Structures are given as C-alpha cells and as structure tokens.
Amino acid sequence: GENVEQHPSTLSVQEGDSAVIKCTYSDSASNYFPWYKQELGKRPQLIIDIRSNVGEKKDQRIAVTLNKTAKHFSLHITETQPEDSAVYFCAASKVRNNNDMRFGAGTRLTVKP
Amino acid sequence: EAQVTQNPRYLITVTGKKLTVTCSQNMNHEYMSWYRQDPGLGLRQIYYSMNVEVTDKGDVPEGYKVSRKEKRNFPLILESPSPNQTSLYFCASSLVDSYNEQFFGPGTRLTVL
C-alpha cells in the first residue's frame, strides 16, 4: 500500500517569510495529492490539491508542486501570516479509490508575529 | 448545511465498557471512513466503507468494529476499550466518482482510563 512521509514535523517562521513542507510517496500509481490544514482544536480541512497530470497549482499565497518522477510533492506558503499557524497534512491516493488515501504525519507550522 | 457530525465530542470511559461513537453525513456520500489521530503519527485509517453494507479494514482496525446499514451513518464501536485507544477520532466522507475531497467531522476526543 501507499506510504507517505512528511517533513519537517515542526516549522517556525517569522511573519512574512515563506514556508515549505515536503512529502514523498511510495506508490507510483497514486494520482491525487491533497493538503489539509488543521487549526488547533478543529477538524482537518482541504486547502489545495493537485492531480498527477499537473506539475504546479497556485491559489493566492499557497502553491503545491508535484514531481512524479521523484515521487514527491511540496506545499509552499508565501507571505505567511499568524493565521497560517496550524498543522498541515499531505496525503496521496488514487482517484476513485479513497480506501487507499494515506496521510503524512503532519507538520506543525508556527508563524511568529 | 452540508456537514459531517460526530457524537459525542468528548468521552471519558473506563477499560472494558463498550461504547459507540456515531457519525452522520448529509451529503449523500458513498464513502465514509474513521481515522484516529495521535501525536507524531498523523491520521491513521481504522475502517472504511465504500457504500451501504460494504466495510473493510484500514491500517489499524484492531479493537474496533463498524457498521454501514444506512448511507448517512457509520458508527464506530469499541466493544472493550483499552487505554491504548485513547485518541482523537475523526469520521470523514466523500464521493467516489471524482477527485475525492474528504470532509471531516469535528472529532471525538476519547480517554480510556
């Protein structure tokens, strides 16, 4: 089955700096890579996702890149703000096959004002 | 409002006392899943269901049971809880015919003494 590794486990940045979280996956057949944000005491919520036929996707201050050959994908947050502080999870799965969605261990991002 | 609900939100119990955590979704999703979240381990899948009367084990099914008698409900049953089942539990649901964002419930924090 799929195995997802996520780094770093904790990340602290100054407000306005960029933050990068990296994930690797093991199953070359995986083709859907979502990122979830979990604020303290809240449920995980999807913030951005990327499909295997796309190398990069942006949504305002967040972007995700995918390298299928190397089997890794990354989340980039620019101009970080204190409200970006949260735990971020990457995941990998195959479309129409949710039973094999696997999550990374999570990255706790702290943005210091 | 489209949502996934869980009850109870918090539960403190003792070893061996059977309990059920309910999960319900109103989005007509075929897929439902239970995860447990533990520090440093991310979200690990316990059981999932692709549709009514179809359930299967995830990565950490030991000590848990589920049922899917109706499309909207997917209860998690702990027949004889043990302290190592102390965790934060999330139910999630999604469609199965597209790139599948999973919608999470608010979480249930369970403590087994």
Side-chain angles (χ1 to χ4, degrees), chain B residues 17-50:
Chain B
K17 186 176 181 182
K18 181 179 179 180
L19 66 93
T20 299
V21 184
T22 64
C23 173
S24 183
Q25 50 92 8
N26 62 1
M27 296 171 279
N28 202 35
H29 286 166
E30 300 92 349
Y31 177 86
M32 296 186 75
S33 181
W34 277 102
Y35 296 90
R36 60 179 287 173
Q37 183 178 8
D38 301 290
L41 297 176
L43 293 157
R44 293 182 294 166
Q45 190 179 57
I46 303 170
Y47 268 94
Y48 64 93
S49 170
M50 298 297 283

Side-chain angles (χ1 to χ4, degrees), chain B:
Chain B
E1 179 190 356
Q3 60 182 345
V4 180
T5 57
Q6 292 177 230
N7 282 291
R9 296 289 315 281
Y10 304 91
L11 179 60
I12 300 174
T13 189
V14 295
T15 298
K17 186 176 181 182
K18 181 179 179 180
L19 66 93
T20 299
V21 184
T22 64
C23 173
S24 183
Q25 50 92 8
N26 62 1
M27 296 171 279
N28 202 35
H29 286 166
E30 300 92 349
Y31 177 86
M32 296 186 75
S33 181
W34 277 102
Y35 296 90
R36 60 179 287 173
Q37 183 178 8
D38 301 290
L41 297 176
L43 293 157
R44 293 182 294 166
Q45 190 179 57
I46 303 170
Y47 268 94
Y48 64 93
S49 170
M50 298 297 283
N51 214 323
V52 176
E53 301 291 1
V54 180
T55 63
D56 211 341
K57 297 177 181 179
D59 292 328
V60 288
E62 294 78 19
Y64 305 94
K65 285 174 56 178
V66 293
S67 68
R68 188 90 183 272
K69 296 187 175 119
E70 307 163 282
K71 197 171 188 179
R72 63 185 294 126
N73 296 323
F74 190 45
L76 179 70
I77 303 155
L78 284 72
E79 294 269 4
S80 183
S82 62
N84 64 11
Q85 293 179 298
T86 292
S87 187
L88 178 60
Y89 291 86
F90 286 101
C91 178
S93 73
S94 74
L95 296 169
V96 294
D97 60 353
S98 62
Y99 290 90
N100 303 314
E101 175 183 358
Q102 292 201 32
F103 293 86
F104 285 83
T108 295
R109 185 164 292 282
L110 172 66
T111 301
V112 183
L113 302 174

Side-chain angles (χ1 to χ4, degrees), chain A residues 31-32 36 38 42-44 46 51 89 95-99 101-105, chain B residues 4 31 35 37 40 42 45 48 59 90 94-96 99-102 104-106:
Chain A
N31 53 13
Y32 176 61
Y36 286 81
Q38 185 182 27
K42 301 288 182 64
R43 72 191 78 190
L46 182 73
R51 307 171 189 182
F89 293 99
V95 173
R96 299 186 187 84
N97 205 9
N98 255 337
N99 51 296
M101 180 172 286
R102 294 296 181 269
F103 289 83
Chain B
V4 180
Y31 177 86
Y35 296 90
Q37 183 178 8
Q45 190 179 57
Y48 64 93
D59 292 328
F90 286 101
S94 74
L95 296 169
V96 294
Y99 290 90
N100 303 314
E101 175 183 358
Q102 292 201 32
F104 285 83

Side-chain angles (χ1 to χ4, degrees), chain A residues 25-65:
Chain A
Y25 61 99
S26 61
D27 188 346
S28 57
S30 289
N31 53 13
Y32 176 61
F33 307 92
W35 286 87
Y36 286 81
K37 176 183 181 182
Q38 185 182 27
E39 296 178 354
L40 189 63
K42 301 288 182 64
R43 72 191 78 190
Q45 291 190 292
L46 182 73
I47 54 170
I48 194 168
D49 55 19
I50 191 167
R51 307 171 189 182
S52 62
N53 59 347
V54 175
E56 183 176 1
K57 182 177 178 180
K58 287 184 180 178
D59 183 3
Q60 299 182 329
R61 293 185 300 106
I62 60 174
V64 58
T65 58

